[in-house]
Amino acid sequence: MHFLDQAKVYLKSGDGGPGAVSFRREKFVEFGGPDGGNGGKGGDIVFEAVEGLNTLIDFRYTQHFKAPRGGGGAGRNRTGAGGPDRVIKVPVGTQVLSEDKDHVLADFTEAGVRRVFLRGGDGGRGNLSYKSSTNRAPRQHGTGWPGEEMWVWLRLKLLADAGLLGLPNAGKSTFINAVTNTKAKVGDYPFTTVRPQLGVVSHKMREFVIADIPGLIEGAADGAGIGDRFLGHIERCKVLLHLVDANGDDPVAAYRTVRAELANYGAGLADKVEIVALNKADLLDAELTEMLTAELAEASGAEVLPLSGATGIGMERVLDRLVEAIDPKGFARPDAGDMEPWSPL
């Protein structure tokens, strides 16, 4: 299935049905009179968040959604049938934005939530409603009120507890493959990951969802590389796991590059809880690993965890930190003496 996280769609609720012009003509009824009923209400445009969807690909092929109009009124004061609602099913995490993308009109963060987005037009009045003491046989009727219409953008923000960050080739795909059943593509070239990946981690009787997004490079906020478009998928995360390539030219500079892009993007990403891990540490000896860890800790102001996504060394400590950050009250951190020292072997 192709991944699509943005789509522009046209919405129109149903018009109200016309009122009827009718007169009562029955045998043995001395006085007739108007008996035209009102028109039915037009259908609403309704959004519903459902489970089982994780992309907006369906909206690439269907971009116009119109609700049916209401039925016309009839004689004997019969009201027209209401038009059925047009229900649009979207993945959990979908936002509905104005056409200029400046305003969030709706945000669906829970499955099963339904919201009437555009209300259908009311039905027109039948000629019975126009009857008065001075107008005993009215022939006018209402044609029905028009529905509402607008263009909107749908934007999907995946719901995850933890998000993976790092430069291209920092080992994010290898990490998520190691801790989940995700089959993310792994390659020795930049931007192997071109779309977000979701996986469920089971660790010490707890489960949480982790999201991997394409790597960031300097200038991503201005569109360099794949850009910062996919950062929206980690806006809802409680914690960010920042992977730094220990085998890179300058791990400290790599860390600062990603942090600068988070600050440029905004949306509070730079203020989220961050866990820093020095990945691919199995390619270095213990002395060099200790030196790079100390330099990165000084630059980040946080504890840096040596890690090897390929061999699994250091994985337990990283997962412990993630679970602790996601659910601080439900997790007991092990004592420092219980942790095994880092070893590249």
Side-chain angles (χ1 to χ4, degrees), residues 184-207:
K185 185 178 180 180
V186 177
D188 59 352
Y189 54 89
F191 301 113
T192 308
T193 300
V194 296
R195 63 183 180 89
Q197 300 276 355
L198 277 182
V200 179
V201 180
S202 296
H203 180 65
K204 294 186 176 179
M205 304 298 292
R206 291 174 175 81
E207 289 188 348

Side-chain angles (χ1 to χ4, degrees), residues 259-280:
R259 292 296 301 179
E261 296 307 318
L262 294 183
N264 289 336
Y265 180 83
L269 288 185
D271 300 324
K272 286 187 178 291
V273 177
E274 181 187 53
I275 298 172
V276 183
L278 187 66
N279 197 19
K280 304 183 185 180

Side-chain angles (χ1 to χ4, degrees), residues 5-11 47 56 94-103 105-106 117 150-156 229:
D5 62 350
Q6 290 189 33
K8 188 177 183 181
V9 296
Y10 171 78
L11 309 174
F47 281 105
L56 299 176
T94 299
Q95 291 182 327
V96 183
L97 308 178
S98 58
E99 187 175 5
D100 56 10
K101 295 187 178 180
D102 288 340
H103 304 284
L105 307 178
F117 192 76
M150 66 187 308
W151 283 91
V152 298
W153 280 92
L154 302 181
R155 180 172 66 188
L156 175 61
R229 166 182 167 182

Side-chain angles (χ1 to χ4, degrees), residues 247-329:
N247 203 37
D249 295 334
D250 190 341
V252 173
Y255 171 81
R256 288 173 175 164
T257 296
V258 174
R259 292 296 301 179
E261 296 307 318
L262 294 183
N264 289 336
Y265 180 83
L269 288 185
D271 300 324
K272 286 187 178 291
V273 177
E274 181 187 53
I275 298 172
V276 183
L278 187 66
N279 197 19
K280 304 183 185 180
D282 58 304
L283 301 178
L284 309 177
D285 58 34
E287 182 179 356
L288 185 54
T289 298
E290 183 178 354
M291 182 187 71
L292 291 178
T293 300
E295 291 179 357
L296 195 55
E298 182 179 358
S300 63
E303 178 187 14
V304 177
L305 305 176
L307 171 70
S308 172
T311 65
I313 299 176
M315 193 74 73
E316 285 290 316
R317 293 182 63 185
V318 171
L319 293 180
D320 284 346
R321 293 294 189 272
L322 287 174
V323 172
E324 180 185 13
I326 293 169
D327 184 16
K329 296 182 180 179

Side-chain angles (χ1 to χ4, degrees), residues 59 71 87 101 110 139 158 173 225 240-241 261 297 308 317:
F59 298 96
V87 180
K101 295 187 178 180
E110 296 181 5
R139 294 184 177 275
L158 297 178
S173 296
L240 303 178
L241 175 58
E261 296 307 318
S308 172
R317 293 182 63 185

Side-chain angles (χ1 to χ4, degrees), residues 134-155:
T134 58
N135 188 7
R136 307 301 296 177
R139 294 184 177 275
Q140 65 265 43
H141 71 287
T143 57
W145 294 90
E148 302 174 316
E149 59 182 327
M150 66 187 308
W151 283 91
V152 298
W153 280 92
L154 302 181
R155 180 172 66 188

